[in-house]
């Protein structure tokens, strides 16, 4: 099992929060219930709400980039914005239940009829937890890795998106992941 920036404990102090009061949670659930599937724009909007000024600054700096940097920037933005629609249940769990109720860390998450208990997952596991992840910071992801009995942790010097498509993703993430797989199998 390989986990990439997998959120777990939303009570960690550095975890970004878009907190909704109970009435807003109900309205959000109803709104999600009107879309099937839930479009990727919803995910993007929630990421935007985490830190709208950061998004603004990212685009404001675009004119200062050289040609190669612009090409890379546009490729990354295309990848980031090419999201996948989510089923209603997945969207509700990821956007409401996980962050608002912290159901993962408090052992209240069920998939089908099965409660998810990390300590019962005994297969070799690698948790990739980027050091500069502002979406799923270390304090949010590390508690899961600590509960998995056979979990190794890789902490690349990159952010949430950078671990997949950053300039150093190949050397910081992909090559070490391949090496870990080869060492386990």
């Amino acid at each position: 099992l390989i986990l990439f920036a997998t959120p777990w404990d939303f009570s960690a102090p550095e975890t970004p929060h878009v907190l909704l009061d109970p009435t807003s949670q109900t309205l959000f659930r109803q709104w999600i219930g009107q879309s099937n599937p839930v479009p990727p724009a919803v995910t993007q909007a929630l990421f935007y709400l985490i830190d709208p000024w950061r998004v603004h600054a990212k685009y404001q700096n675009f004119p200062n980039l050289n040609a190669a940097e612009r090409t890379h920037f546009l490729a990354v933005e295309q990848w980031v914005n090419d999201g996948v629609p989510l089923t209603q249940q997945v969207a509700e769990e990821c956007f409401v239940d996980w962050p608002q109720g912290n159901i993962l860390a408090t052992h209240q998450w069920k998939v089908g009829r099965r409660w998810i208990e990390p300590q019962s997952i005994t297969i070799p596991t690698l948790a990739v937890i980027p050091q500069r992840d502002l979406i799923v910071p270390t304090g949010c992801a590390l508690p899961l890795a600590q509960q998995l009995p056979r979990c190794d942790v890789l902490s690349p010097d990159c952010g949430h998106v950078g671990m997949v498509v950053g300039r150093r993703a190949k050397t910081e993430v992909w090559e070490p992941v391949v090496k870990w797989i080869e060492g386990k199998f």
Side-chain angles (χ1 to χ4, degrees):
L1 175 63
I2 301 176
L3 306 168
F4 286 93
T6 304
W8 193 255
D9 187 353
F10 288 85
S11 71
E14 70 272 23
T15 303
H17 292 285
V18 177
L19 295 177
L20 303 174
D21 60 62
T23 302
S24 296
Q25 288 181 37
T26 300
L27 290 171
F28 192 40
R29 284 181 197 279
Q30 290 171 352
W31 183 72
I32 287 171
Q34 294 174 6
S35 300
N36 193 19
V38 177
V42 174
T43 304
Q44 287 306 103
L46 289 172
F47 286 153
Y48 177 80
L49 288 173
I50 289 171
D51 188 355
W53 301 116
R54 182 173 171 78
V55 174
H56 174 73
K58 176 173 66 169
Y59 286 100
Q60 186 177 23
N61 190 45
F62 184 77
N64 301 326
L65 302 177
N66 65 39
E69 292 169 332
R70 284 182 183 188
T71 300
H72 183 260
F73 177 90
L74 293 172
V76 169
E77 288 305 302
Q78 181 177 1
W79 179 82
V80 165
N81 290 295
D82 187 24
V84 176
L86 302 174
T87 66
Q88 291 170 341
Q89 184 175 349
V90 168
E92 249 187 82
E93 287 181 355
C94 292
F95 302 149
V96 182
D97 297 336
W98 291 4
Q100 305 299 319
N102 202 23
I103 68 167
L104 303 175
T106 57
H107 307 286
Q108 299 174 50
W109 187 37
K110 217 185 226 190
V111 175
R113 293 186 217 172
R114 188 173 182 168
W115 292 100
I116 304 304
E117 295 294 336
Q119 57 275 20
S120 69
I121 300 171
T122 58
I123 61 174
T125 305
L126 176 64
V128 180
I129 304 173
Q131 294 175 28
R132 294 184 283 123
D133 194 333
L134 300 176
I135 295 171
V136 181
T138 301
C140 183
L142 191 57
L144 173 58
Q146 293 169 332
Q147 292 180 53
L148 295 163
R150 296 178 63 195
C151 187
D152 298 313
V153 175
L154 174 64
S155 298
D157 183 23
C158 57
H160 192 79
V161 173
M163 76 173 159
V164 178
V165 295
R167 294 180 194 278
R168 296 186 322 241
K170 181 179 178 184
T171 58
E172 293 270 332
V173 179
W174 297 111
E175 289 173 354
V177 166
V178 168
K179 186 176 179 180
W180 181 86
I181 292 170
E182 289 171 346
K184 295 294 178 189
F185 305 99

